[in-house]
């Protein structure tokens, strides 16, 4: 008979626990969160103390039904969701939905038989402090989203949104872009002397460092060469100089290993070393944590919990890893215990990310892992083992050389003891060049001078990894939120990734400008960091969650009122088309625009930039063929076009040469005389009869052919009618159905639909 029911989040985690527990317990998965705030309304009763109204997630209703049936069979229910705020909230929601009276709560930071056994021996009650901290964050984020988003829809573009933490991330990206735009490169020069010992083939470079007689340390010690003229003057002074060794300094330096991974450093290293995006890193880490099938050994978790901000490890893990290092590499490779200063807001609730069993080397489990799983596990394993190993030791030599009235300097180093590099890949490509043995006063052979021009570089744009690092250093976000923050600003279209760097879009910059001008508190990193600290206080039980939300909501409401006054929708400008209405600021999915207040009687509209400024048309030298006024390049809702500058009196629009008809090689099935041609209209490419308008057929649209350079056709192939159908179509409707044109019934049957686009916008088989 079963001892009880254990509920976890995922099927993988359930399978791993089942292997440890056998038939002792019935293990089920909730598939994540089972309740949440409603999707289409705010779901927070502000007047009743910000009471959230939860509802069962639609896709979880079947799961809930199965869990209710399982609960009836077992009186003892154990909730074993992840050991953090989200996991605690999942456990609480399950208890509420399943109407559990006294559920037991267990937590473990690694899914191993020993850890699960310890957890079952020490169950506890649901910790409402963690639940309330999660509720507070969820409610605050919902208030921001449902109050700010409609405002941004009316001012910038419909469909966009604003978030509490994502607004800070966006501001960081935009501010960095502004730094880059304002950056002015500064010129500098270096001069290297190519030297060698007398009649030696081993050449080395020494860099001009300072004027002879000046101290080698201090602000004015290093000689700055600012211009090419300065460099040429120095080259003239050094011409014909002799060189001799002034002094040789040898010293030993050490390089310590890195500490074990926390969430942010794992995401950063996986990005730079493995080129994994943060979201993918966390997905793969979740798989390694929940358990991997290891052949006859069965399913087992390979790493500890991956959402952590602590670098500490347990005494047992410390003992095991040092035993492994001593056995495999020797006692001299053992390092001393190490600690690190915690980042702002770190909670230190969990261990660092480490392998659950150090003897389970990456190569020993490689056959059971996917390529990406192996890469990430290898990275985590090596980082953990290296963190407990001795430092690497370098022998470094620094030589100062006198030439004319100047001092040159060169440095060489070699690795004397590899230490932690025995398991961790070296960051340096190789040692700095080893120098020949030299003594003070020794003359050197001269082989030439090498001047080189340099320019200072602007600060680099953030990558996803470096943005996460910046957020962590500012105390913004927590381990479970870093990756979602970056995904949010990308999914909203506020940033785009080019060459693995984050570039703000026009919409992103417009939203940031509004947030900074009118909602500065929300986009301020200090305020956001303080709010994170308040949520930590709720988790620790030193503060109630409702006052935290209330203190946030009051200023938010005031900022919204002030912003509406500062950015009114109505203007005093008279409509230039009907001369009766006035212009009103509106927004659509195409962006902001000015429209007539008498709409729909008057349909005048003027496109605006995402910053709310009027788009300035560019006058062309070509005259309008209708009225003689100059034509101008304008931007409409469908992109750029050329029209008359006398609009609205003259409504001439020049047809784009790209819109000319292109023959398809097919006869029109409607009249059997004309040819089917491909044209481009306001909604994209379409197929029509070449005898239009004599043959009146409705405009039916199709996607452009692959590789023709049209945005709407990129990567999408369109089958030719005869190739797709296997026979000539007998009517225009046959053509429309075979091409899967929008608004028409999909083709039925294998023969009729083979190789055709089944519906608008889907992929087409070749």
């Amino acid at each position: 008979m079963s001892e009880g029911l254990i509920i976890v989040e995922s099927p993988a985690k359930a399978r791993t626990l089942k292997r440890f527990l056998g038939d002792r317990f019935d293990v089920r998965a909730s598939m994540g969160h089972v309740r949440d705030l409603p999707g289409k309304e705010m779901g927070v009763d502000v007047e009743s103390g910000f009471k959230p109204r939860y509802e069962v997630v639609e896709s979880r209703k079947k799961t809930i039904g199965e869990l209710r049936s399982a609960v009836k069979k077992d009186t003892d229910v154990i909730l074993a969701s992840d050991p953090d705020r989200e996991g605690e909230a999942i456990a609480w929601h399950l208890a509420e939905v399943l109407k559990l009276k006294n559920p037991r709560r267990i937590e473990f930071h690694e899914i191993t038989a020993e850890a699960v056994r310890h957890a079952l021996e020490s169950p506890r009650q649901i910790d409402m402090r963690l639940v309330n901290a999660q509720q507070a964050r969820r409610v605050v984020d919902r208030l921001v989203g449902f109050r700010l988003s409609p405002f941004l829809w009316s001012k910038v573009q419909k469909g966009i949104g604003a978030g509490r933490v994502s607004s800070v991330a966006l501001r960081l990206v935009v501010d960095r872009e502004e730094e880059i735009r304002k950056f002015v490169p500064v010129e500098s020069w270096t001069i290297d002397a190519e030297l060698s010992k007398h009649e030696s083939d081993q050449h080395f470079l020494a860099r001009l460092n300072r004027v002879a007689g000046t101290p080698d340390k201090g602000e004015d010690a290093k000689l700055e060469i600012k211009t090419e003229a300065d460099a040429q003057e120095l080259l003239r002074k050094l011409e014909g100089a002799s060189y001799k060794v002034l002094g040789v300094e040898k010293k030993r330096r050490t390089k310590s290993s890195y500490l074990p991974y926390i969430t942010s450093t794992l995401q950063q290293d996986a990005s730079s070393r493995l080129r994994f995006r943060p979201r993918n890193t966390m997905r793969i880490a979740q798989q390694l944590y929940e358990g991997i099938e290891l052949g006859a050994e069965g399913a087992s978790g390979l790493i500890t919990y991956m959402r952590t901000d602590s670098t500490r490890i347990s005494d047992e893990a410390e003992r095991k890893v040092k035993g492994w290092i001593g056995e495999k590499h020797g006692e001299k490779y053992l390092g001393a215990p190490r600690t690190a200063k915690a980042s702002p807001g770190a909670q230190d609730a969990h261990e660092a990310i480490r392998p659950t069993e150090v003897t389970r080397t990456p190569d020993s489990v490689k056959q059971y892992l996917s390529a990406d799983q192996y890469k990430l596990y290898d990275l985590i394993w090596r980082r953990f083992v290296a963190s407990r190993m001795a430092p690497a030791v370098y022998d470094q030599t620094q030589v100062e050389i006198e030439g004319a009235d100047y001092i040159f300097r060169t440095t060489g180093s070699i690795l004397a003891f590899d230490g932690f590099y025995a398991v961790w890949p070296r960051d340096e490509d190789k040692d700095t060049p080893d120098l020949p043995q030299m003594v003070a006063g020794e003359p050197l052979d001269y082989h030439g001078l090498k001047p080189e021009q340099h320019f200072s570089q602007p600060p680099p744009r953030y990558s996803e990894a470096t943005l996460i690092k910046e957020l962590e250093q500012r105390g913004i976000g927590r381990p479970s939120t870093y990756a979602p923050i970056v995904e949010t600003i990308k999914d909203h279209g506020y940033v785009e990734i080019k060459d693995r760097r984050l570039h703000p879009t026009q919409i992103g910059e417009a939203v940031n400008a509004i947030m900074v001008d009118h909602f500065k508190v929300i986009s301020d990193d200090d305020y956001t960091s303080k709010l994170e600290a308040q949520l930590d206080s709720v988790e620790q039980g030193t503060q109630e969650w409702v006052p935290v939300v209330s203190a946030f909501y009051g200023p938010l409401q005031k900022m919204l009122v002030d912003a509406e006054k500062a950015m009114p929708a109505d203007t005093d400008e008279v409509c230039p088309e009907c001369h009766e209405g006035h212009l009103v600021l509106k927004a659509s999915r195409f962006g902001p625009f000015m429209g007539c207040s008498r709409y729909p009687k008057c349909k005048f509209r003027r496109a605006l930039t995402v910053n709310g400024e009027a788009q300035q048309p560019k006058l062309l030298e070509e005259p309008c063929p209708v009225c003689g006024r100059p034509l101008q390049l304008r931007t409409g809702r469908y992109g750029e076009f050329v029209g008359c500058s006398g609009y609205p009196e003259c409504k001439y629009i020049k047809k784009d040469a790209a819109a000319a008809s292109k023959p398809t090689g097919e006869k029109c099935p409607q009249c059997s005389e004309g040819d089917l041609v491909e044209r481009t209209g306001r909604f994209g490419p379409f197929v029509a009869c070449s005898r239009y308008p004599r043959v009146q057929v409705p405009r039916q649209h199709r996607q452009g052919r692959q590789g023709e350079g049209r945005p709407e056709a990129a990567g999408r192939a369109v089958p030719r009618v005869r190739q797709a159908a296997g026979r000539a179509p007998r009517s225009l409707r046959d053509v429309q159905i075979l091409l899967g044109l929008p608004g028409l019934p999909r083709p039925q049957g294998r023969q009729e639909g083979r190789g055709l686009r089944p519906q608008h916008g889907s992929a087409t088989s070749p």
Side-chain angles (χ1 to χ4, degrees):
M1 182 177 175
S2 172
E3 296 181 29
L5 171 67
I6 297 179
I7 303 177
V8 296
E9 301 100 322
S10 72
K13 191 173 178 181
R15 286 193 298 269
T16 305
L17 288 184
K18 192 70 176 174
R19 186 182 76 81
F20 299 147
L21 301 173
D23 296 330
R24 287 179 55 199
F25 292 90
D26 182 14
V27 186
R28 301 291 184 97
S30 70
M31 311 302 291
H33 276 282
V34 294
R35 285 202 312 177
D36 198 3
L37 297 172
K40 296 185 178 180
E41 54 184 288
M42 188 161 70
V44 177
D45 189 346
V46 176
E47 303 299 327
S48 300
F50 302 95
K51 183 178 180 181
R53 180 172 59 82
Y54 296 110
E55 57 184 35
V56 175
V57 179
E58 184 67 30
S59 60
R60 300 290 183 269
K61 288 184 176 179
K62 181 180 178 182
T63 302
I64 289 296
E66 294 171 350
L67 291 176
R68 280 179 177 147
S69 300
V71 166
K72 292 178 182 178
K73 301 176 185 177
D74 293 288
T75 56
D76 191 10
V77 179
I78 301 172
L79 303 174
S81 45
D82 285 345
D84 57 12
R85 293 176 189 170
E86 290 294 321
E88 206 71 19
I90 289 174
W92 178 69
H93 284 300
L94 280 168
E96 292 288 309
V97 171
L98 300 176
K99 296 181 172 53
L100 305 177
K101 292 184 178 180
N102 291 301
R104 291 192 290 166
R105 171 83 167 103
I106 64 172
E107 65 175 46
F108 33 79
H109 303 279
E110 57 185 75
I111 306 180
T112 60
E114 187 68 14
V116 173
R117 184 181 64 80
H118 279 302
L120 288 171
E121 290 174 353
S122 54
R124 60 172 175 81
Q125 298 296 311
I126 292 174
D127 191 339
M128 288 306 299
R129 297 175 302 176
L130 274 70
V131 174
N132 288 335
Q134 192 273 344
Q135 282 195 108
R137 176 187 290 277
R138 189 76 182 94
V139 169
V140 166
D141 290 346
R142 177 55 66 98
L143 291 172
V144 171
F146 269 75
R147 288 287 188 257
L148 272 184
S149 295
F151 178 80
L152 293 175
W153 293 355
S154 66
K155 307 302 180 185
V156 182
Q157 181 172 304
K158 286 190 176 180
I160 62 176
R164 177 180 58 87
V165 182
S166 60
S167 296
V168 180
L170 174 61
R171 183 178 65 79
L172 291 174
V173 175
V174 174
D175 286 353
R176 178 58 56 88
E177 194 70 21
E178 282 298 314
E179 288 183 63
I180 294 172
R181 289 170 183 164
K182 295 177 181 178
F183 180 80
V184 178
V186 177
E187 181 184 10
S188 64
W189 286 74
T190 58
I191 297 177
D192 291 336
E194 185 178 354
L195 307 168
S196 70
K197 288 174 69 73
H198 183 58
E199 296 183 351
S200 171
D201 293 333
Q202 184 182 358
H203 294 195
F204 59 89
L205 295 177
R207 177 154 295 180
L208 178 60
N209 182 263
R210 64 187 188 276
V211 177
T214 58
D216 61 348
K217 295 180 181 179
E219 295 182 2
D220 301 326
K222 190 173 181 180
L223 181 63
E224 292 187 0
I225 311 173
K226 297 182 178 180
T227 64
E228 184 177 4
D230 293 342
Q232 292 297 332
E233 176 65 17
L234 286 168
L235 291 174
R236 185 186 63 78
K237 291 180 179 180
L238 291 167
E239 187 176 348
S242 60
Y243 295 83
K244 69 176 181 178
V245 177
L246 195 63
V248 179
E249 181 183 1
K250 294 186 177 182
K251 57 184 178 180
R252 178 159 282 192
R253 69 178 181 90
T254 61
K255 180 175 177 59
S256 297
S257 60
Y258 301 102
L259 290 165
Y261 283 125
I262 59 177
T263 302
S264 59
T265 54
L266 176 63
Q267 292 172 350
Q268 292 159 32
D269 242 17
S271 175
S272 60
R273 294 176 182 273
L274 307 179
R275 306 183 88 76
F276 286 177
R277 296 192 57 206
R279 178 182 61 181
N280 295 341
T281 298
M282 297 310 292
R283 175 179 56 81
I284 298 166
Q286 184 86 33
Q287 296 167 359
L288 297 174
Y289 165 71
E290 291 182 343
I292 300 293
E293 288 287 343
L294 301 177
E297 188 179 343
S300 183
L302 295 185
I303 64 171
T304 54
Y305 193 54
M306 62 285 164
R307 296 185 181 93
T308 178
D309 52 21
S310 172
T311 57
R312 65 177 174 84
I313 65 171
S314 68
D315 293 340
E316 179 69 10
E318 183 94 36
R319 182 184 62 79
K320 287 184 177 180
V321 69
K322 288 194 171 182
W324 187 91
I325 294 170
E327 179 185 343
K328 297 294 183 181
H329 296 277
E331 295 295 320
K332 66 177 182 178
Y333 280 87
L334 288 175
R338 301 176 58 204
T339 57
K341 183 180 178 182
S343 59
Q347 297 171 289
D348 196 34
H350 315 303
E351 282 189 67
I353 304 170
R354 61 170 176 84
T356 56
E357 182 54 63
V358 70
T359 57
R360 199 177 277 139
T361 62
D363 287 340
S364 69
V365 297
K366 184 175 183 179
Q367 60 181 316
Y368 307 112
L369 304 178
S370 68
D372 287 347
Q373 288 172 342
Y374 171 75
K375 290 176 183 177
L376 193 63
Y377 181 68
D378 182 68
L379 195 67
I380 293 169
W381 187 91
R382 292 182 184 279
R383 175 82 166 224
F384 170 64
V385 174
S387 72
R388 266 46 201 173
M389 296 181 73
V393 179
Y394 288 87
D395 286 333
Q396 182 172 292
T397 302
Q398 180 176 286
V399 181
E400 291 205 332
I401 300 165
E402 185 177 30
D405 295 326
Y406 296 92
I407 304 299
F408 290 75
R409 178 179 289 176
T410 184
T411 302
S413 66
I414 58 172
L415 185 65
F417 173 63
D418 57 355
F420 72 94
Y421 283 135
V423 298
W424 184 254
R426 294 179 61 184
D427 295 326
E428 307 98 311
D429 291 334
K430 55 184 178 179
D431 297 321
T432 55
D434 189 21
L435 298 174
Q437 292 292 330
M438 291 179 277
V439 295
E442 179 181 359
L444 300 173
D445 289 350
Y446 166 74
H447 302 283
L449 293 173
K450 296 183 177 181
E452 186 175 355
Q453 185 184 38
H454 307 273
F455 288 95
S456 58
Q457 298 297 312
R461 292 182 176 88
Y462 289 110
S463 65
E464 292 177 289
T466 56
L467 180 59
I468 287 172
K469 182 179 181 180
E470 185 70 22
L471 291 172
E472 180 196 25
Q473 290 176 344
R474 293 172 182 253
I476 299 167
R478 290 297 178 262
S480 61
T481 63
Y482 292 138
I485 289 170
V486 178
E487 285 300 312
T488 296
I489 60 175
K490 186 180 76 70
D491 291 344
H492 281 170
Y494 297 158
V495 300
E496 54 187 357
I497 301 176
K498 299 177 182 177
D499 297 326
R500 304 181 72 241
R501 295 286 172 174
L502 298 174
H503 297 248
T505 62
Q506 282 190 325
I507 292 177
E509 294 195 45
V511 169
N512 180 69
I514 291 176
M515 296 298 295
V516 171
D517 290 343
H518 304 289
F519 302 95
K520 191 171 184 178
V521 170
I522 294 176
S523 61
D524 180 66
D525 54 326
D526 287 337
Y527 177 81
T528 303
S529 178
K530 290 176 183 176
L531 184 57
E532 294 286 356
Q534 289 179 308
L535 294 175
D536 293 343
S537 298
V538 173
E539 179 175 336
Q540 295 158 8
T542 59
Q543 195 167 355
E544 295 295 324
W545 75 273
V546 173
V548 172
V549 177
S550 180
F552 174 84
Y553 185 69
L556 174 63
Q557 285 292 88
K558 184 179 184 303
M559 286 185 287
L560 275 168
V561 172
D562 293 343
E564 286 287 0
K565 292 178 181 178
M567 301 179 67
D570 290 342
T571 69
D572 297 329
E573 185 177 353
V574 177
C575 174
E577 187 163 316
C578 68
H579 304 290
E580 296 182 27
H582 60 277
L583 297 187
V584 179
L585 176 64
K586 299 181 179 181
S588 70
R589 63 190 178 96
F590 301 102
F593 68 95
M594 300 294 286
C596 182
S597 59
R598 295 180 65 243
Y599 179 85
K601 292 183 179 179
C602 176
K603 297 185 178 180
F604 172 81
R605 58 187 293 146
R606 178 192 298 157
L608 302 176
T609 66
V610 291
N611 295 316
E613 301 172 354
Q615 295 180 347
Q616 299 298 324
K618 179 181 179 182
L619 287 177
L620 306 176
E621 296 182 0
E622 184 180 354
C624 172
V626 176
C627 68
R629 296 187 181 101
L631 296 179
Q632 61 183 2
L633 180 65
R634 299 167 59 189
T635 302
R637 64 189 300 179
Y638 305 108
E640 290 186 341
F641 68 95
V642 175
C644 182
S645 59
Y647 179 84
E649 288 82 8
C650 178
K651 298 183 179 180
Y652 169 78
I653 295 177
K654 183 179 180 181
K655 292 187 177 180
D656 190 352
S661 301
K662 293 185 178 180
T664 65
E666 311 293 340
K667 281 292 184 181
C668 174
Q670 185 88 351
C671 66
S672 301
E673 295 182 23
D675 297 319
L676 286 180
V677 294
E678 183 181 331
R679 294 175 175 168
T680 302
R682 63 187 301 186
F683 298 111
F686 66 94
V687 176
C689 181
S690 60
R691 298 181 65 231
Y692 177 85
R694 284 178 289 174
V695 177
Q696 296 287 340
V697 294
R699 284 188 171 189
Q700 299 297 340
H701 295 268
R702 61 183 284 185
Q703 299 296 332
R705 299 182 191 278
Q706 186 176 17
E708 290 185 346
R710 299 183 186 135
E712 63 269 32
R716 302 175 183 172
V718 176
R720 292 178 66 86
V721 175
R722 291 190 191 277
Q723 293 173 339
R727 60 173 176 80
R730 297 171 183 171
S731 67
L732 182 61
R733 186 161 183 78
D734 282 350
V735 176
Q736 296 164 355
I737 292 175
L738 287 170
L739 289 177
L741 298 172
L744 292 171
R746 295 173 60 181
Q748 303 295 322
R750 291 176 57 83
Q751 179 64 29
E752 190 176 2
R754 182 175 300 163
L756 300 178
R757 189 185 308 280
Q759 58 183 10
H760 183 60
S762 63
T764 302
S765 301

